[in-house]
């Protein structure tokens, strides 16, 4: 609807006032994956991505994001952030250079940390092309995806097939975009592979840079020229292909009116130089600094580039001098050990001394160049601050001019047309809200994801407490990651979301075992019981020990135990004690003993304890 309103408004303004400039907002995301960890490195995607970035910046795109060597988490974040950025734009472009794969008719882009040991790993470790299309979906006028990912894929040759009938294609599969004004460009048509090129860039990237952003050139015609150039460069072995459907009007990345308008306004040379400098600084090699200095022979960015270049040269000289000094010292030591002639040793000592002197001079030269870089950085900071202030003033003036032009146009629009525009505006759906969780919702979302992968068993709330930190630490151990457990972060949420199933093992009590996502009780057959290692073990019957007993003693056993348990009482002995007074029974608890020296009864005595 917004697109329709823009067309109506533009038509009325053109009819009444002649021509009013309307600048579309254009954004681009450029991804170059070269440094694959589990297969051989690709040499050109990084160079191709850099060339495409320079092309889009030269074409005046409002935003150009360069992302290189992305793993699965970084790639997900880049697509999400670009999708949010594309919400209020007219043109959104994604360029991807790296490995891709086709599985069962669906195309996937491969991050640099993918392993793809089996075909089913594709679903977990890569990104479907549909996810890329979602990122450009919010653009109002044109959605363009360029895939330089049709290279000969080493993953497809080594991965194991879990199902023999599953198809893994060569190159990428044909696609049919479901959204209007969407175009998908392949470096090679479906079912074929693309060349990485013998030079610094692939043939496809070189052709894109030559034709894609020519002012006023229809996009379909531009890709036609790209096709012709690639066929010529590859001796007709690689044919780029475009899928999608556009309308009858010309669709351009750079409008034909852009050049005259730009000529009438002053060019911000410092801003352009700054963008190129930041790009050169990312690469940071001597040839890149040489190219920058050649393009911009003067200016504070030039001075800074020269300082960086001289610093690199000084470092190279220092390393060379250090190596020579070390070699000279080793030669001197060798001659001394071998007992060489004094003249030879003296010569070696002189050479070592000279090499050491050269090394010290190289160290001083390096420090001097570092001082120059620091001075140039200070000049850069001051210049950037001034440029920002000038840009702010210019932006204020531009806004005022645009508001005045809009007010003048609104005054000339007929009342009926204004009513139509108001109705169209009322039907325009509001912009979608960002899918990013708020700060308060982030702990809850991360706790929910940790519970999904089996690492969190506590409550789910907005508090990132010690239990939540232990859960994330448990995820780190089992997922082989090093996420910061002290805070709930977007990176941690993305990492946990990337896992399709349980990560932390299910721990069950003794007598239970893991059954999917539950603990079930272990049941053993008759005659078996659960042993210490949770396996069913045969029950060993205990044989009683045979012991012959007297039946009578068995009957008397309780009575005997009772008697033995009762303390004994003094009893009469049954003896008789006789004396001169006569005889009597011995008293209870007493006994008769013979007195010493007597043998007859007259010598008895009664002893009582």
């Amino acid at each position: 609807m917004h697109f329709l309103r823009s067309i109506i408004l533009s038509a009325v303004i053109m009819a009444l006032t002649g021509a009013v400039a309307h600048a579309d907002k254009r954004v681009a995301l450029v991804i170059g994956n070269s440094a694959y960890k589990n297969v051989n490195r690709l040499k050109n995607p990084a160079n191709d991505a850099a060339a495409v970035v320079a092309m889009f910046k030269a074409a005046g795109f409002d935003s150009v994001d360069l992302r290189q060597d992305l793993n699965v988490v970084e790639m997900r974040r880049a697509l999400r952030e670009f999708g949010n950025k594309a919400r209020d734009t007219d043109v959104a472009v994604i360029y991807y250079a790296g490995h891709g794969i086709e599985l069962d008719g669906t195309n996937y882009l491969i991050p640099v940390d993918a392993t793809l040991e089996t075909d089913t790993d594709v679903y977990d470790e890569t990104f479907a092309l549909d996810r890329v299309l979602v990122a450009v979906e919010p653009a109002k006028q044109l959605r363009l995806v360029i895939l330089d990912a049709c290279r000969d894929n080493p993953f497809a040759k080594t991965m194991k097939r879990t199902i023999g009938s599953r198809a893994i294609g060569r190159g990428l599969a044909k696609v049919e975009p479901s959204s209007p004004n969407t175009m998908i460009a392949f470096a090679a048509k479906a079912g074929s592979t693309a060349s990485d090129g013998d030079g610094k860039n692939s043939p496809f990237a070189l052709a894109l840079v030559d034709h894609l952003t020519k002012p006023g050139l229809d996009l379909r015609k531009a890709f036609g020229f790209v096709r012709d150039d690639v066929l010529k460069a590859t001796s007709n072995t690689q044919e780029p292909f475009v899928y999608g459907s556009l309308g009858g009007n010309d669709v351009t990345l750079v409008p034909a009116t852009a050049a005259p308008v730009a000529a009438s306004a002053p060019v911000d040379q410092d801003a352009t130089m700054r963008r190129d400098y930041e790009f050169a600084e990312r690469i940071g090699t001597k040839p890149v600094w040489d190219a920058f200095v050649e393009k911009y022979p003067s200016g504070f960015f030039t001075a800074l580039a020269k300082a960086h270049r001289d610093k690199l040269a000084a470092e190279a000289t220092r390393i060379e001098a250090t190596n020579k000094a070390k070699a000279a010292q080793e030669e001197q030591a060798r001659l001394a050990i071998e007992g060489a002639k004094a003249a030879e040793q003296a010569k070696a000592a002189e050479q070592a001394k000279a090499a050491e002197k050269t090394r010290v001079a190289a160290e001083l030269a390096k420090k001097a160049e570092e001082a120059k870089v620091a001075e140039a950085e200070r000049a850069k900071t001051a210049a950037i601050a001034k440029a920002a202030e000038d840009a702010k003033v210019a932006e204020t003036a531009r806004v005022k001019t645009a508001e005045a032009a809009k007010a003048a146009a609104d005054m000339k629009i007929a009342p009926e047309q204004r009513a139509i525009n108001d109705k169209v505006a009322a039907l325009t759906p509001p912009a979608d809200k960002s899918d990013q969780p708020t700060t308060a919702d982030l702990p809850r979302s991360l706790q929910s994801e940790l519970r999904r992968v089996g690492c969190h068993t506590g409550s789910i709330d907005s508090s990132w407490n010690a239990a939540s930190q232990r859960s994330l630490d448990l995820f780190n151990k089992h997922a082989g990651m090093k996420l910061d457990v002290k805070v709930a972060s977007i990176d941690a949420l993305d990492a946990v979301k990337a896992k399709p199933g349980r990560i932390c093992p299910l721990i069950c009590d003794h007598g239970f075992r893991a059954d999917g996502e539950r603990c079930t009780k272990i049941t053993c057959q008759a005659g078996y019981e659960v042993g210490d290692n949770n396996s069913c073990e045969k029950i060993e019957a205990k044989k009683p020990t045979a012991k012959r007993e007297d039946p009578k003693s068995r009957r008397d056993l309780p009575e005997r135990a009772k008697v033995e348990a009762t303390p004994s009482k003094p009893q009469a002995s049954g003896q008789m004690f006789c004396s001169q007074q006569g005889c009597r029974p011995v008293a209870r608890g007493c006994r008769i003993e013979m007195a010493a020296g007597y043998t007859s009864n007259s010598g008895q005595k009664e002893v009582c304890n």
Side-chain angles (χ1 to χ4, degrees), residues 288-302:
V288 171
W289 290 124
D290 289 338
F292 182 87
V293 172
E294 182 180 356
K295 183 175 181 180
Y296 302 102
S298 62
F300 69 92
F301 280 110
T302 303

Side-chain angles (χ1 to χ4, degrees), residues 156-195:
K157 300 176 182 178
T158 58
M159 68 170 55
K160 300 177 182 177
R161 270 65 163 179
T162 57
I163 300 177
S165 59
R166 178 167 287 134
I168 300 177
R170 184 171 179 263
L172 299 181
K174 180 180 179 181
V175 293
E176 291 295 341
S178 58
S179 300
N181 300 322
T182 301
M183 179 177 285
I184 303 173
F186 286 0
K189 66 179 180 180
S192 61
T193 58
S195 170

Side-chain angles (χ1 to χ4, degrees), residues 30-106:
V30 178
I31 300 174
N33 282 350
S34 290
Y36 282 89
K37 299 179 180 179
N38 299 299
V39 293
N40 292 334
R41 177 188 179 93
L42 289 172
K43 65 175 184 177
N44 278 343
N47 299 331
D48 295 341
V52 172
V53 165
M55 174 189 69
F56 285 136
K57 286 185 176 181
F61 270 58
D62 298 89
S63 173
V64 183
D65 297 330
L66 173 63
R67 305 294 177 87
Q68 291 183 316
D69 297 330
L70 301 184
N71 60 32
V72 63
V73 174
E74 294 167 341
M75 202 159 174
R76 178 178 291 106
R77 186 188 306 121
L79 291 174
R80 182 179 63 240
E81 292 175 353
F82 185 74
N84 293 334
K85 185 177 292 186
R87 292 184 187 280
D88 60 345
T89 63
D90 300 290
V91 177
V93 184
I94 292 180
Y95 171 85
Y96 172 82
H99 275 311
I101 192 171
E102 178 261 315
L103 182 67
D104 285 340
T106 302

Side-chain angles (χ1 to χ4, degrees), residues 53-333:
V53 165
M55 174 189 69
F56 285 136
K57 286 185 176 181
F61 270 58
D62 298 89
S63 173
V64 183
D65 297 330
L66 173 63
R67 305 294 177 87
Q68 291 183 316
D69 297 330
L70 301 184
N71 60 32
V72 63
V73 174
E74 294 167 341
M75 202 159 174
R76 178 178 291 106
R77 186 188 306 121
L79 291 174
R80 182 179 63 240
E81 292 175 353
F82 185 74
N84 293 334
K85 185 177 292 186
R87 292 184 187 280
D88 60 345
T89 63
D90 300 290
V91 177
V93 184
I94 292 180
Y95 171 85
Y96 172 82
H99 275 311
I101 192 171
E102 178 261 315
L103 182 67
D104 285 340
T106 302
N107 299 316
Y108 299 87
L109 308 186
I110 305 177
V112 296
D113 60 343
T115 56
L116 301 187
E117 294 180 352
T118 65
D119 50 9
T120 55
D121 291 341
V122 172
Y123 303 121
D124 303 327
E125 300 177 8
T126 66
F127 289 88
L129 179 57
D130 289 342
R131 177 63 185 90
V132 181
L133 294 175
V134 169
V136 298
E137 182 69 25
K140 304 177 183 67
Q141 295 182 10
L142 174 65
R143 310 166 188 95
L144 175 61
V145 176
I146 305 172
L147 299 181
D148 195 356
C150 311
R151 296 168 171 83
D152 192 13
N153 184 3
F155 288 102
K157 300 176 182 178
T158 58
M159 68 170 55
K160 300 177 182 177
R161 270 65 163 179
T162 57
I163 300 177
S165 59
R166 178 167 287 134
I168 300 177
R170 184 171 179 263
L172 299 181
K174 180 180 179 181
V175 293
E176 291 295 341
S178 58
S179 300
N181 300 322
T182 301
M183 179 177 285
I184 303 173
F186 286 0
K189 66 179 180 180
S192 61
T193 58
S195 170
D196 200 33
D198 297 329
K200 182 179 177 182
N201 297 100
S202 70
F204 184 62
L206 289 174
L208 287 175
V209 172
D210 286 343
H211 300 291
L212 197 59
T213 56
K214 288 182 179 178
L217 182 62
D218 180 66
L219 202 57
R220 287 156 293 199
K221 197 167 185 179
F223 277 111
F225 290 144
V226 170
R227 168 191 173 275
D228 294 343
D229 285 2
V230 173
L231 282 172
K232 183 178 180 180
T234 61
S235 301
N236 295 327
T237 59
Q238 177 182 336
E239 180 183 6
F241 221 82
V242 176
Y243 301 90
S245 176
L246 301 180
N249 295 327
D250 285 352
V251 180
T252 63
L253 286 181
V254 181
T257 57
V261 172
S264 62
V267 177
D268 189 354
Q269 180 70 14
D270 286 345
T272 304
M273 185 188 298
R274 178 182 175 181
R275 286 196 301 267
D276 291 346
Y277 172 83
E278 291 173 350
F279 170 67
E281 191 175 28
R282 290 194 194 103
I283 300 176
T285 61
K286 188 176 182 299
V288 171
W289 290 124
D290 289 338
F292 182 87
V293 172
E294 182 180 356
K295 183 175 181 180
Y296 302 102
S298 62
F300 69 92
F301 280 110
T302 303
L304 189 55
K306 289 180 178 179
H308 279 292
R309 182 185 63 182
D310 295 342
K311 178 184 174 182
L312 290 175
E315 175 64 13
T317 302
R318 184 194 67 81
I319 293 174
E320 183 180 1
T322 301
N323 292 335
K324 287 183 177 179
K326 183 178 179 181
Q329 291 174 357
E330 291 175 351
E331 178 65 14
Q332 182 182 5

Side-chain angles (χ1 to χ4, degrees), residues 237-526:
T237 59
Q238 177 182 336
E239 180 183 6
F241 221 82
V242 176
Y243 301 90
S245 176
L246 301 180
N249 295 327
D250 285 352
V251 180
T252 63
L253 286 181
V254 181
T257 57
V261 172
S264 62
V267 177
D268 189 354
Q269 180 70 14
D270 286 345
T272 304
M273 185 188 298
R274 178 182 175 181
R275 286 196 301 267
D276 291 346
Y277 172 83
E278 291 173 350
F279 170 67
E281 191 175 28
R282 290 194 194 103
I283 300 176
T285 61
K286 188 176 182 299
V288 171
W289 290 124
D290 289 338
F292 182 87
V293 172
E294 182 180 356
K295 183 175 181 180
Y296 302 102
S298 62
F300 69 92
F301 280 110
T302 303
L304 189 55
K306 289 180 178 179
H308 279 292
R309 182 185 63 182
D310 295 342
K311 178 184 174 182
L312 290 175
E315 175 64 13
T317 302
R318 184 194 67 81
I319 293 174
E320 183 180 1
T322 301
N323 292 335
K324 287 183 177 179
K326 183 178 179 181
Q329 291 174 357
E330 291 175 351
E331 178 65 14
Q332 182 182 5
R334 184 187 67 81
L335 292 175
I337 293 173
E338 294 178 355
K341 296 180 180 180
E344 292 181 354
Q345 293 190 31
K347 182 179 179 181
E350 186 66 26
Q351 290 176 347
K353 183 178 179 180
E356 179 63 18
K357 185 177 180 180
T358 304
R359 185 192 67 79
V360 173
E363 288 282 356
L364 294 176
K366 177 191 173 185
K367 291 181 180 179
E369 294 301 334
E370 288 176 345
K372 290 181 181 179
V373 170
E375 180 62 29
E377 286 286 353
R378 285 191 291 270
K380 168 192 169 185
T381 302
I384 288 176
K386 182 180 182 302
E389 184 64 26
D390 294 343
K392 183 177 180 181
V393 174
E395 178 65 15
T396 302
R398 187 192 66 78
V399 171
K400 289 182 179 180
T401 303
E403 290 176 351
K406 183 177 183 301
D410 288 342
M411 292 178 62
K412 295 183 179 181
I413 297 178
E416 297 82 359
Q417 187 61 57
R418 187 178 295 110
I420 294 175
N421 291 345
D422 292 340
K423 291 181 180 180
V424 173
L427 294 174
T428 303
D432 295 336
K433 295 182 179 180
S434 173
D435 58 356
Q436 291 282 359
T438 63
T439 303
D441 293 338
L442 188 55
R444 183 185 297 271
S445 301
L446 184 51
Q447 290 166 356
S448 298
E449 288 298 319
L450 286 170
R451 174 173 289 182
R452 180 182 62 81
V453 298
C455 299
H456 182 66
T457 57
S459 60
I460 296 179
D461 51 34
S462 298
S463 174
W464 189 251
N465 49 29
S468 302
Q469 294 177 15
R470 287 193 297 270
S471 300
L472 185 55
D473 184 56
L474 191 62
F475 174 83
N476 280 338
K477 292 179 181 178
H478 290 285
M481 306 188 75
K482 296 181 180 179
L483 300 170
D484 185 4
V485 302
K486 295 181 181 179
V487 294
S489 63
I490 291 292
D491 290 344
L493 181 60
D494 288 341
V496 180
K497 280 185 175 181
K499 304 300 180 182
R502 173 178 289 277
I503 295 299
C504 297
L506 181 63
I507 301 176
C508 300
D509 295 334
H510 180 261
F512 293 81
R513 62 185 169 197
D515 184 9
E517 296 297 320
R518 299 183 305 168
C519 291
T520 59
K521 187 175 182 180
I522 299 174
T523 304
C524 299
Q525 62 183 0

Side-chain angles (χ1 to χ4, degrees), residues 518-555:
R518 299 183 305 168
C519 291
T520 59
K521 187 175 182 180
I522 299 174
T523 304
C524 299
Q525 62 183 0
Y528 289 80
E529 63 181 358
V530 179
D532 294 338
N533 59 354
N534 263 9
S535 61
C536 291
E537 299 177 355
K538 190 173 183 180
I539 301 174
E540 295 183 3
K542 297 182 179 179
K543 298 180 180 180
T545 304
K547 185 176 181 181
R548 180 175 296 175
E549 294 185 7
D550 184 4
K552 182 177 179 181
S553 63
R554 187 180 302 169
R555 288 194 302 270

